[in-house]
Amino acid sequence: MTDAVRYSREGAIGLIEVVNPPVNALGQAVRAGISAAIRQGIADPDAKVLVIYGEGRTFMAGADIREFGKPPMPPILGEVINEIEACPKPTVAAIHGTALGGGLETALGCRFRVALKGSKVGLPEVKLGIIPGAGGTQRLPRVAGVANALEMITSGRHVPVEEALTLGIVDAVVDGTDVKAAGIAFARRVVDEGLDAPAVRDRDDKLAAARADRSIFEETRRKLARSMRGRMSPQKAVDAVEAAVDLAIDQGLKRERELITECMESSQRAGLVHAFFGEREVAKVPGMSKDVPVRPVKKAAVIGAGTMGGGIAMCFANAGIPVTVVETSQEALDRGLGRVRNNYDISARRGRYTPEQVDGLMALFTPALDLAAVAEADIVIEAVFESMDVKKEVFRKLDAVAKPGAVLATNTSYLDVDEIAAVTSRPADVLGMHFFSPANVMKLLEVVRGAKTADDALKTALEIGRKLGKVAVVAGVCDGFIGNRMLKTYKTQMDYVMEDGALPQEIDAAITGFGFPMGLYAMGDLAGLDIGYMTRRREDATRPADARYVAIADRLYELGRLGQKTGAGWYRYEDGRTPIPDPEVEAIILEESGKKGINRRAFGADEILTRALCALVNEGAKVLAEGIALRPVDIDMVWLFGYGFPAYEGGPMFWADRRGLDKVLADIRGFADHDPKSWQPAPLLVELAEAGRTFKEWSDAR
Ligand code: 3H9
């Protein structure tokens, strides 16, 4: 046996304990250990029943994801589970925490499953670009029925064990916190009451409905083609469950193995696993000691009750943190909190909250008209109008009233955080917390570290981000930080492509074809064309006189085409939200190209996409070299969680590494031949491409 699995006995109960912190992942040592322990249990003459459970905070949370992409190390999990299932003595899985993926598959290899109240089970493999590969697609339908199994496997949902009990996935749900005791108690019932159950492989009754009416498979495939557009593994999961219905179990298991192998080798798996670890990695700030304390945050304050301020305040309330919301007029305050209430009421109508829960959430808000009301807040987030003068004024006042040690954050999306910090007597407490709109929905939070921001203030902001359910990424100070700075370069290139020959719908189709949920211009219509217009007017003063300037968006703005809210922008809208290409826009584009004497040419989707991605990667390389982003993975997570970059592509820097930086550079050089001014290859990209290295290798070596 290995150290990762222990065998012991209490009376007639053989105990197999998995000890592989933090989540008892089923790495090679655990697999070998379980296999050995099962054999030991079989050989132990005094053991009548065997109980498998996990030490620490959880049952097994699945296969060890770190082993993906490496040569398989025997024994493979499917074989170990077959061994459990073939065990001549009854086996009991005692579940606490989460039994996910290979964890649930292991439990399904047992004759019985008992779970502590509050724990969860699920097969979340599709979220990693694979399918359950150790029998989950064959055994789950046999206990839960085909429809339930398809829903669970294709969504990856973590199912509360109380629900799993009604679905037939677990046999008992018990109170208590001691999983070993719960396992032993259940095992005693097996001995004393002679409880018996067939092996899951021998159960066929729940497959009958889908055998009689197979329409569920096509229907599920059709739905997934829409809801999981571009994703390979959910479709493969349907194939695997269908095999459970069509084939004898051993053939079904074989088919499942073939299908997971295809998924394992796919680039989607690589991208999604990068996203899984990336989401966790960004929380760790290189160079920051573990000993840096987090300041306690019991109360928060948000200055400004506009769309952004209201959304940020909702994040705190949702996390159970009381929040004071400050505005300058009663009217603005009423309007802001009215919008918040309305948002909660909508969620309540959709069944997310009861009316009492909404009242409870609203009770966490304290409206205020005087900035002095923030005096007790441990963190204050300013979300006022995006103007340096206005923000400085707020921070001067904040400095006078906020309590010592409070973290003072600005929600600016591009302004210089150091300049704002400098008007206070405590720049070490000042940083940026850039939420994305709608703030209560979007998962990205850029935490902007100023030159003088203290480590503990930064760590506190990251920790708060985590509590609010965000993916918090550290960024340095520059215009637009990580995300908006890269967005600007990419958008500029797309504007050039439009002026040189493509239409908005062609550009958007290339982008959504890659997997973004929305096109760049449809997104602009959603945000409102007034936002970009204001930004461009702000930039007028600093834009070099000889810079190429595309005025198409200005023309639309001047016509009152502000996007969805006015029924027209880059597209026109008949139902308020479906973009319809508009000949009027095309005429304006042709006119603007004509004014500059541009001989418009056709752009294929591939060229558009390559230009878009190369623009992102080139700017990303500059962002990295300047230290604005700490690692390439930080850029990737910004783009996944803030801008809809398809998770299965991993993010722009991951995409570039996989494509090969030499190829990316060659493309950029090709574009530069025609437009050297806007396509200057980033020095870091050139250095790495010429050395045959990747962004990740460069980052890991630092
Ligand atoms: C599978 O099972 C395939 C099989 O069907 C077929 C095989 C043939 N492996 O999330 P946390 C690490 S696919 C390796 O912060 P929480 C994680 O990176 C698998 N490492 O904790 C982190 O490391 P660090 C199906 C893993 O309490 C640490 O553990 N299973 C794994 O917020 C703590 O994680 C899944 O997809 C793993 N499987 O959440 C479940 N899981 O401290 C994936 C976690 O160095 N896991 N780590 O940053 C989860 O969803 C969450 O981790 C869980 C706990 C809900 C369990």
Side-chain angles (χ1 to χ4, degrees), residues 492-563:
T492 302
Q493 283 303 332
M494 292 302 97
D495 285 350
Y496 293 170
V497 165
M498 191 191 302
E499 203 174 48
D500 288 341
L503 295 173
Q505 56 270 28
E506 291 166 340
I507 297 174
D508 280 359
I511 290 164
T512 53
F514 179 68
F516 277 90
M518 256 184 135
L520 188 59
Y521 295 100
M523 185 63 108
D525 278 352
L526 183 66
L529 267 59
D530 40 343
I531 296 183
Y533 185 83
M534 306 298 177
T535 310
R536 290 191 296 280
R537 296 298 70 85
R538 173 176 66 86
E539 291 166 349
D540 282 345
T542 51
R543 187 180 304 112
D546 62 345
R548 178 173 177 183
Y549 183 78
V550 180
I552 303 167
D554 291 348
R555 294 277 310 275
L556 299 181
Y557 174 87
E558 284 151 13
L559 288 170
R561 300 183 65 116
L562 304 188

Side-chain angles (χ1 to χ4, degrees), residues 436-662:
F436 286 68
S437 185
N440 52 317
V441 176
M442 295 295 290
K443 280 196 79 171
L444 178 64
L445 173 67
E446 279 181 320
V447 176
V448 186
R449 169 156 56 177
K452 295 194 175 154
T453 303
D455 273 1
D456 62 337
L458 184 76
K459 201 167 184 182
T460 305
L462 290 170
E463 180 57 20
I464 276 293
R466 197 188 58 79
K467 280 207 177 118
L468 304 189
K470 305 292 176 197
V471 175
V473 178
V474 176
V477 175
C478 71
D479 191 339
F481 314 126
I482 299 174
N484 281 348
R485 172 168 160 182
M486 290 170 66
L487 177 69
K488 186 175 165 194
T489 316
Y490 149 57
K491 188 171 179 324
T492 302
Q493 283 303 332
M494 292 302 97
D495 285 350
Y496 293 170
V497 165
M498 191 191 302
E499 203 174 48
D500 288 341
L503 295 173
Q505 56 270 28
E506 291 166 340
I507 297 174
D508 280 359
I511 290 164
T512 53
F514 179 68
F516 277 90
M518 256 184 135
L520 188 59
Y521 295 100
M523 185 63 108
D525 278 352
L526 183 66
L529 267 59
D530 40 343
I531 296 183
Y533 185 83
M534 306 298 177
T535 310
R536 290 191 296 280
R537 296 298 70 85
R538 173 176 66 86
E539 291 166 349
D540 282 345
T542 51
R543 187 180 304 112
D546 62 345
R548 178 173 177 183
Y549 183 78
V550 180
I552 303 167
D554 291 348
R555 294 277 310 275
L556 299 181
Y557 174 87
E558 284 151 13
L559 288 170
R561 300 183 65 116
L562 304 188
Q564 283 193 13
K565 59 187 166 194
T566 58
W570 290 103
Y571 297 91
R572 72 190 170 79
Y573 296 86
E574 284 174 2
D575 61 2
R577 42 199 293 264
T578 313
I580 304 169
D582 191 342
E584 194 177 316
V585 175
E586 184 172 347
I588 293 170
I589 295 170
L590 296 186
E591 214 178 287
E592 286 298 317
S593 304
K595 274 190 206 161
K596 291 191 184 162
I598 293 170
N599 198 3
R600 288 174 66 82
R601 69 168 174 98
F603 282 83
D606 280 353
E607 181 181 353
I608 295 172
L609 188 62
T610 307
R611 283 177 181 262
L613 294 171
C614 285
L616 281 178
V617 173
N618 202 37
E619 193 63 26
K622 293 178 191 168
V623 160
L624 264 185
E626 290 169 30
I628 299 297
L630 295 170
R631 295 151 297 201
V633 70
D634 294 83
I635 297 179
D636 288 337
M637 295 308 110
V638 162
W639 275 82
L640 255 50
F641 291 101
Y643 298 85
F645 197 98
Y648 56 76
E649 294 288 354
M653 309 315 272
F654 182 80
W655 173 86
D657 277 350
R658 279 184 71 85
R659 175 160 166 73
L661 298 189
D662 53 339

Side-chain angles (χ1 to χ4, degrees), residues 245-563:
V245 166
D246 287 337
L247 305 176
I249 179 113
D250 287 321
Q251 275 71 45
L253 290 171
K254 192 161 160 271
R255 181 75 189 122
E256 179 193 77
R257 188 92 213 128
E258 288 162 7
L259 290 163
I260 191 182
T261 305
E262 283 175 41
C263 294
M264 275 290 181
E265 285 162 5
S266 73
S267 65
Q268 294 202 352
R269 192 276 300 158
L272 287 164
V273 167
H274 175 68
F276 176 85
F277 287 119
E279 187 178 342
R280 287 155 179 83
E281 198 174 340
V282 292
K284 297 164 195 151
V285 180
M288 188 185 290
S289 149
K290 282 203 169 65
D291 303 332
V292 172
V294 172
R295 301 181 190 177
V297 173
K298 298 213 165 60
K299 288 184 178 169
V302 175
I303 304 176
T307 314
M308 212 56 209
I312 297 170
M314 282 177 79
C315 296
F316 281 100
N318 295 347
I321 301 171
V323 58
T324 299
V325 180
V326 187
E327 255 300 351
T328 46
S329 75
Q330 189 63 46
E331 196 199 341
L333 204 49
D334 290 346
R335 199 172 42 238
L337 289 178
R339 202 182 302 119
V340 167
R341 167 111 225 169
N342 191 38
N343 284 341
Y344 281 133
D345 285 342
I346 292 172
S347 300
R349 279 201 291 281
R350 291 185 183 147
R352 177 146 179 235
Y353 300 119
T354 62
E356 294 71 38
Q357 283 172 322
V358 172
D359 290 342
L361 285 163
M362 287 309 295
L364 292 169
F365 290 78
T366 305
L369 288 171
D370 184 352
L371 208 63
V374 309
E376 285 184 14
D378 304 299
I379 186 164
V380 184
I381 300 183
E382 161 279 309
V384 302
F385 184 63
E386 193 76 340
S387 138
M388 182 55 95
D389 291 343
V390 177
K391 298 217 186 242
K392 280 184 176 169
E393 188 53 30
V394 169
F395 272 80
R396 262 185 218 109
K397 288 185 185 153
L398 263 185
D399 193 21
V401 294
K403 72 176 182 189
V407 172
L408 306 182
T410 168
N411 176 52
T412 181
S413 46
Y414 58 85
L415 293 172
D416 185 338
V417 173
D418 290 330
E419 203 179 323
I420 296 172
V423 303
T424 72
S425 61
R426 38 177 139 172
D429 295 337
V430 178
L431 42 73
M433 286 177 80
H434 179 208
F435 289 77
F436 286 68
S437 185
N440 52 317
V441 176
M442 295 295 290
K443 280 196 79 171
L444 178 64
L445 173 67
E446 279 181 320
V447 176
V448 186
R449 169 156 56 177
K452 295 194 175 154
T453 303
D455 273 1
D456 62 337
L458 184 76
K459 201 167 184 182
T460 305
L462 290 170
E463 180 57 20
I464 276 293
R466 197 188 58 79
K467 280 207 177 118
L468 304 189
K470 305 292 176 197
V471 175
V473 178
V474 176
V477 175
C478 71
D479 191 339
F481 314 126
I482 299 174
N484 281 348
R485 172 168 160 182
M486 290 170 66
L487 177 69
K488 186 175 165 194
T489 316
Y490 149 57
K491 188 171 179 324
T492 302
Q493 283 303 332
M494 292 302 97
D495 285 350
Y496 293 170
V497 165
M498 191 191 302
E499 203 174 48
D500 288 341
L503 295 173
Q505 56 270 28
E506 291 166 340
I507 297 174
D508 280 359
I511 290 164
T512 53
F514 179 68
F516 277 90
M518 256 184 135
L520 188 59
Y521 295 100
M523 185 63 108
D525 278 352
L526 183 66
L529 267 59
D530 40 343
I531 296 183
Y533 185 83
M534 306 298 177
T535 310
R536 290 191 296 280
R537 296 298 70 85
R538 173 176 66 86
E539 291 166 349
D540 282 345
T542 51
R543 187 180 304 112
D546 62 345
R548 178 173 177 183
Y549 183 78
V550 180
I552 303 167
D554 291 348
R555 294 277 310 275
L556 299 181
Y557 174 87
E558 284 151 13
L559 288 170
R561 300 183 65 116
L562 304 188

Side-chain angles (χ1 to χ4, degrees), residues 613-625 652-653 655-657 659-669 671 679-695 698:
L613 294 171
C614 285
L616 281 178
V617 173
N618 202 37
E619 193 63 26
K622 293 178 191 168
V623 160
L624 264 185
M653 309 315 272
W655 173 86
D657 277 350
R659 175 160 166 73
L661 298 189
D662 53 339
K663 294 199 185 76
V664 175
L665 180 62
D667 282 332
I668 291 176
R669 286 191 167 138
F671 302 143
W679 281 108
Q680 287 166 9
L684 177 62
L685 176 64
V686 176
E687 177 195 322
L688 296 178
E690 287 175 354
R693 298 176 71 204
T694 61
F695 288 121
W698 171 80

Side-chain angles (χ1 to χ4, degrees), residues 22-23 57 61 63-66 102 105 125 128 132-133 277 280 284:
V23 297
R57 68 193 213 211
D64 188 339
I65 303 168
R66 287 175 212 277
E105 291 174 301
E125 284 86 344
L128 299 168
F277 287 119
R280 287 155 179 83
K284 297 164 195 151

